[in-house]
Amino acid sequence: MKHIFQKGTNEALPTVVVFHGTGGTENDLIPLAEMVAPGASILSLRGNVSENGMSRFFRRLAEGVFDEEDLVFRTNEIRDFLNEAAEQYGFDASNLVALGYSNGANIAASLMFHFEGAFKGAMLHHPMVPMRGLKLPDMNGVQVFVGAGRNDGMVPAANTEELIGLLEGAGAAVKANWEHFGHQLTRTEAEGARRWFGEHFLG
């Protein structure tokens, strides 16, 4: 997978794995990761799927309708890549925190839905429920920040609330940050994620 690895100055911190939104690249969210998790190593990925020339992490059949077969395939592909990258760059594959926006938040959530211990924590900005009908792995001890819009035209608030309920039902501790700026990833939302990361991982 196309990616950027940026070694941090504090090896005790989790490596932050970054997943862009539709049409983004591996460069887009590095400044956000640096702001949220100062000193942490960063592994930023580019999705392997192209939709009308726009990079994504998995296919969709329509807006808000995921190609579940491709989602499962891409979830496994990324899991394998993360393990390979950990060997290549010398970071701990069991000490990762995800940072994803929109399509990137959805693939991060899918990794959490499919693999126990995929991440120690996750910052999910404007995510949706990736799949339904799964028996979720044990997420006790996993910290999750969810940034969402009450008036998000792409992600209904009820969908976000359903995702939060599923994560909490699996044992995760979820901090929800609700705003009224649609699907935008705002500065105040980013600052909320920074405070959350500091509380749980810089402590």
Side-chain angles (χ1 to χ4, degrees), residues 32-154:
L32 175 62
E34 290 173 336
M35 180 198 118
V36 166
S41 293
I42 297 167
L43 177 65
S44 187
L45 313 186
R46 183 188 296 191
N48 272 346
V49 170
S50 178
E51 178 183 277
N52 302 319
M54 298 185 298
S55 294
R56 282 178 55 84
F57 286 99
F58 59 89
R59 294 192 187 101
R60 57 184 170 183
L61 307 175
E63 191 168 295
V65 183
F66 301 159
D67 180 335
E68 291 195 351
E69 186 178 342
D70 189 62
L71 174 58
V72 171
F73 175 80
R74 301 297 172 183
T75 300
N76 282 284
E77 179 182 58
I78 291 169
R79 173 71 166 181
D80 290 344
F81 174 76
L82 292 178
N83 288 327
E84 289 164 13
E87 284 192 26
Q88 181 180 352
Y89 296 114
F91 62 81
D92 182 354
S94 68
N95 190 22
L96 306 177
V97 170
L99 189 164
Y101 167 62
S102 194
N103 175 245
N106 297 337
I107 195 71
S110 181
L111 282 153
M112 296 172 72
F113 272 39
H114 285 91
F115 298 108
E116 185 170 343
F119 301 113
K120 281 198 167 172
M123 292 167 275
L124 306 177
H125 298 277
H126 301 264
M128 297 178 73
V129 175
M131 288 185 79
R132 292 178 174 86
L134 291 178
K135 184 181 188 313
L136 299 190
D138 182 358
M139 295 187 197
N140 274 301
V142 177
Q143 301 290 334
V144 183
F145 175 92
V146 173
R150 285 281 178 202
N151 59 341
D152 189 328
M154 294 184 71

